[in-house]
């Protein structure tokens, strides 16, 4: 008898908290920097841990963060109309027609602190409209 988990649909996905725990030190540090930036946007910002993402909100969610340790990536979904910006391959993506967890029509891929700095204006726009 095997005590291992069964593979397939019956196995549930790892939670965002478990994924963050498995992440490299550099990805954990990058998430901590992103978290600090999101919470610093205003006294009205709160963070809620959902099963598959961290949700940041004022009245409504303005940013949802997924942690992907295998690719050392943070995916941030924000409420910015993709038609209003110039999409950058490998950094921003229109996800209006793609299923994803969380809120928002624009996906931002963050793998470095430079990406985080580049993402801040889009995150601020989402915060301002929430």
């Amino acid at each position: 008898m095997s005590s291992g988990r069964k593979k397939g649909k019956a196995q549930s996905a790892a939670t965002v908290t478990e994924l963050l725990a498995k992440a490299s030190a550099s990805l954990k540090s990058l998430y901590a920097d992103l978290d600090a930036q999101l919470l610093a946007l205003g006294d009205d910002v709160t963070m809620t841990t959902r099963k598959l993402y961290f949700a940041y909100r004022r009245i409504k969610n303005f940013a949802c963060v997924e942690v992907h340790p295998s690719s050392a990536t943070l995916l941030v979904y924000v409420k910015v109309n993709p038609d209003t910006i110039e999409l950058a391959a490998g950094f921003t993506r229109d996800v209006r027609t793609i299923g994803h967890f969380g809120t928002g029509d624009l996906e931002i891929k963050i793998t470095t602190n430079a990406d985080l700095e580049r993402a801040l204006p889009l995150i601020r726009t989402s915060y301002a409209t929430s």
Side-chain angles (χ1 to χ4, degrees):
M1 292 182 106
S2 171
S3 62
R5 289 184 170 178
K6 291 182 180 180
K7 293 183 179 179
K9 291 184 180 180
Q11 182 178 346
S12 62
T15 67
V16 70
T17 305
E18 292 167 342
L19 291 170
L20 186 58
K22 292 179 189 177
S24 65
S26 61
L27 188 60
K28 287 177 185 174
S29 176
L30 186 60
Y31 172 74
D33 292 346
L34 173 61
D35 179 66
Q37 291 284 350
L38 289 165
L39 293 173
L41 289 172
D43 292 336
D44 54 351
V45 176
T46 59
M47 188 277 281
T48 305
T49 302
R50 300 289 183 209
K51 183 174 182 180
L52 301 174
Y53 60 91
F54 297 109
Y56 293 82
R57 66 184 302 141
R58 290 175 78 177
I59 297 164
K60 296 180 180 179
N61 287 355
F62 67 88
C64 295
V65 180
E66 292 181 5
V67 178
H68 295 271
S70 61
S71 60
T73 302
L74 300 174
L75 293 180
V76 183
Y77 297 94
V78 294
K79 290 184 175 181
V80 173
N81 182 342
D83 295 335
T84 64
I85 65 160
E86 186 173 332
L87 297 175
F91 178 64
T92 51
R93 180 168 74 141
D94 180 347
V95 292
R96 288 180 286 198
T97 60
I98 301 168
H100 66 90
F101 297 105
T103 304
D105 293 334
L106 182 69
E107 176 188 273
I108 307 169
K109 183 177 183 179
I110 299 176
T111 58
T112 65
N113 280 317
D115 290 341
L116 175 55
E117 290 302 316
R118 192 172 161 200
L120 288 176
L122 296 168
I123 291 169
R124 287 187 193 107
T125 298
S126 183
Y127 169 80
T129 60
S130 299

